[in-house]
Amino acid sequence: MTTATTPRDAVPGQLAGEPLLKVRDLTVTFASRGRRAVRAVDGIDLDVAAGSTVGIVGESGSGKSVTSLAALGLLGKRGVQISGSVHFDGADLLNMPDDELRAVRGKEIAMIFQDPMSSLNPVLTIGRQITEILVRHRGLSKQEARDEAASLLQSVGIGDSVRRLRSFPHQLSGGMRQRVMIAMALACAPRLLIADEPTTALDVTISAQILELLRTLVAETQTALVLITHDLGVVAGLCDTVHVMYSGRIVESAPRRPLFAAPEHPYTNGLLASVPRLDQPRGIPLLPIPGSPSDTLPWAQGCAFSPRCTRREDDCLGGPPPLAPVGHPAHLLRCMHPVPTGERRV
Amino acid sequence: MLKFAVRRLLLLVPILLGLSILVFLFVRALPGGPETALLGERLTPERAAAVRAAYGLDRPVHEQYVSYMGKVARFDLGVSIQTQRPVSEEIGRRFPATVELATMAMLFALVVGIPLGFVAGRRPGSWIDNASTVGSLLGIAIPVFALGFLLKYLFAVRLGWLPTDGRQDVTLTTEHPTGFFVLDGVLTGDLPAAWDALKHLVLPAIALGTIPLAIITRITRAAVQETINEDFVRTAEAKGMTKSIVTRRHILRNAMLPVVTIVGLQTGLLLSGAILTETVFAFGGMGSFMASALFSRDFPVIQGGILFLAVVFVVVNLIVDISYGFIDPRVRAS
Ligand SMILES: Nc1ncnc2c1ncn2[C@@H]1O[C@H](COP(=O)(O)OP(=O)(O)O)[C@@H](O)[C@H]1O
Ligand SMILES: [Mg+2]
């Protein structure tokens, strides 16, 4: 879909310079007193080149949100252990003082979330919620910020924007609210936008509109995009690179084309089989992956997906499988028994 | 908004009708009547009958009720049997004291309770949270009069920092254009009198404010704990807003919504008279006035006082509900 050359087609690891966002061995463990420790993210490596679009896909509970929240220091401190490193434009985000990190968030790195109703403050007008970020990071006066906020609303497709600034979130539809979130996120022309399930709470048509809006805006502004979703169909039209996560680890990782042309991991195939597709005749049943994400194993014992995997063999339980290249040099796979060509779901 | 207010005020009519019947029957069901208190040792059946006749108490109850309500409808609450002055005048003299005391008590509860509840809610399990939990339980459990006596003994009798009772020093002769002694002092330019009145308010306000304080602390704590986990707070953090803006604009404003409701209810209760506190500190407000009216079976005062306090209670809650609409736009819409 994208025909532009670098940096959009750039592949992690092949870039001359440092990537814009560089995550290494990120591990997040929730350990509150009296409860069993939960390792939500288990050694994630992730590169996001400037201007590129990266998808992170996985069933709910696989650690996608925790990965992004941890990277931005949004998890809080109590009962959370974070290790590894996160560098943005060379700066170490995990060890940055709080006030410096606050100056990066919203300005250099913006985020939008799943539920646009609960993500907006119910007692403040949307005008207030957009202008506050302009005042904070761009140092605009109140009046300048109001004018800018109106034109931001316009740019995300909200008409009658001056009047809309006085609306409260409950007076807008779900799609409108997500547009407001996008306007807020792009207010300071960030270099990286992380969108965590931006369309999950919306119905199909609205969801398509929002994705299209995101696609145009990041392309226009050359903003790098990390798109988090449980729906492979969503990343298909949008992302240069896709990482598939299961139980806190990346299990398959590839540029879009090889991933959709040759999905190797049984889990990736399972995800593909459960996505409704327009290019297939109606009547082909969607196949959900058997079992649930809770039927999992600690990675230390073997492949965490093996309890649900139809291709499981004894050696799947002999310690953690490595994430290793297969075929295409940027195609990485964590699986002992990939799906053979004939049985792939493509 | 106006329609809402009018509807709520109209609701007062059935409330007052029901309440007046209850009170009317209640005072007449009490053993003894005004004649017992008036005549004391001189009580003979003939004199008692004469007193009852003089106040119309010998007529059938429904007749008494109809004629009473007829006067109430014309804002005439009758005459106090004890003092022979109009009930409305008596209320007018005491109510400012109650308002003054309730205001101070509520201020105390808010100024201490909201920050305390906030800190406790942000750091659950910290020593300050645990201390506030224990303190709140104590505050609710300890009887008001016990606390009153304790405060009085400690700070007035032993340490002598504050006056023991009353509303102002008996040696002061000051003017009282409004009946709010602190305000009167300021208005008449008599600042020492205002200061003196303020000092008289401290201990009763603390004694009376302890229960609202405990409740406000707990509610604030719960509301803050709930609010900090809300998605929109995460959004504010993701926008890189400063800590103080996240706290004030995003957490506190939302956490205050449930607190406002409680403050309204508690203010209504405080204004309905604080019998125990006013008795311990000999503070001449509605509480002690109503208590003495009850002892002397001063029917017009009991009836008029209770109806008056019911109106106050409803009006205070109406004001709170209206102001709630200003801080929560979702309510304003519906
Ligand atoms: N604050 C938390 N405390 C304990 N466990 C958590 C917390 N947040 C997330 N988790 C756990 O971490 C795992 C990954 O969650 P998450 O990243 O939200 O998944 P998703 O991929 O759906 O975004 C889940 O098993 C979840 O239960
Ligand atoms: Mg999530």
Side-chain angles (χ1 to χ4, degrees), chain A residues 69 74 78 98 102-103 105-107 109-111 113-115 118-124 128-130 132-133 136-137 168 170-171 181 184, chain B residues 122-126 230-243 245-246 249-251 253-254 257 327-333:
Chain A
L69 294 173
L74 289 174
R78 296 182 137 259
D98 183 63
R102 281 175 194 273
R105 284 199 304 249
K107 186 177 185 214
I109 309 177
M111 227 178 144
F113 301 99
Q114 171 169 341
D115 185 347
S118 59
S119 297
L120 289 166
N121 189 331
V123 305
L124 299 181
R128 185 73 186 279
Q129 298 186 59
I130 301 175
E132 71 173 1
I133 190 172
R136 158 95 173 111
H137 292 304
F168 287 94
H170 73 272
Q171 295 167 321
M181 287 296 289
M184 234 154 59
Chain B
R122 287 225 75 164
R123 300 199 191 87
S126 62
E230 293 276 4
D231 289 349
F232 60 79
V233 173
R234 190 186 54 193
T235 304
E237 293 280 1
K239 282 156 81 180
M241 304 312 295
T242 59
K243 221 179 195 143
I245 288 187
V246 174
R249 198 178 290 166
H250 295 279
I251 299 178
R253 262 195 85 154
N254 281 279
L257 298 178
I327 54 174
D328 190 346
R330 288 163 298 185
V331 175
R332 208 180 311 160

Side-chain angles (χ1 to χ4, degrees), chain A residues 60-61 64-66 114 196-197 228:
Chain A
S60 99
K64 309 178 300 288
S65 300
V66 172
Q114 171 169 341
D196 187 353
E197 311 254 9
I228 295 175

Side-chain angles (χ1 to χ4, degrees), chain B residues 30-111:
Chain B
L30 290 172
E35 68 277 9
T36 331
L38 273 182
L39 297 169
E41 309 216 313
R42 293 174 288 121
L43 181 77
T44 65
E46 297 76 37
R47 283 178 177 158
V51 169
R52 294 189 70 88
Y55 291 103
L57 296 175
D58 53 345
R59 291 188 291 157
V61 175
H62 65 270
E63 249 178 56
Q64 294 180 38
Y65 180 74
V66 170
S67 88
Y68 177 70
M69 288 311 280
K71 284 203 245 163
V72 169
R74 280 170 275 131
F75 298 102
D76 177 4
L77 294 179
V79 172
S80 161
I81 297 174
Q82 283 284 300
T83 66
Q84 294 300 324
R85 278 194 290 201
V87 172
S88 50
E89 196 185 303
E90 295 284 1
I91 291 177
R93 279 203 319 169
R94 269 118 180 152
F95 191 57
T98 294
V99 173
E100 221 172 26
L101 179 55
T103 309
M104 286 296 285
M106 193 40 83
L107 271 180
F108 164 69
L110 288 174
V111 166

Side-chain angles (χ1 to χ4, degrees), chain B residues 114-193:
Chain B
I114 289 179
L116 196 60
F118 180 79
V119 174
R122 287 225 75 164
R123 300 199 191 87
S126 62
W127 70 266
I128 201 161
D129 179 34
N130 295 332
S132 90
T133 305
V134 174
S136 302
L137 288 177
L138 270 179
I140 289 178
I142 191 169
V144 172
F145 66 89
L147 179 64
F149 278 123
L150 186 73
L151 288 171
K152 188 157 132 172
Y153 177 72
L154 217 60
F155 294 102
V157 178
R158 289 306 296 260
L159 296 169
W161 292 349
L162 292 159
T164 50
D165 50 23
R167 291 184 69 193
Q168 73 171 9
D169 199 304
V170 284
T171 60
L172 286 180
T173 47
T174 49
E175 290 187 42
H176 296 295
T178 66
F180 301 93
F181 282 17
V182 179
L183 188 65
D184 287 340
V186 174
L187 287 181
T188 58
D190 190 349
L191 291 184

Side-chain angles (χ1 to χ4, degrees), chain B residues 262-281:
Chain B
I262 289 299
V263 169
L265 279 174
Q266 290 291 320
T267 307
L269 286 177
L270 293 186
L271 285 176
S272 318
I275 296 184
L276 294 173
T277 311
E278 290 186 4
T279 308
V280 170
F281 292 97

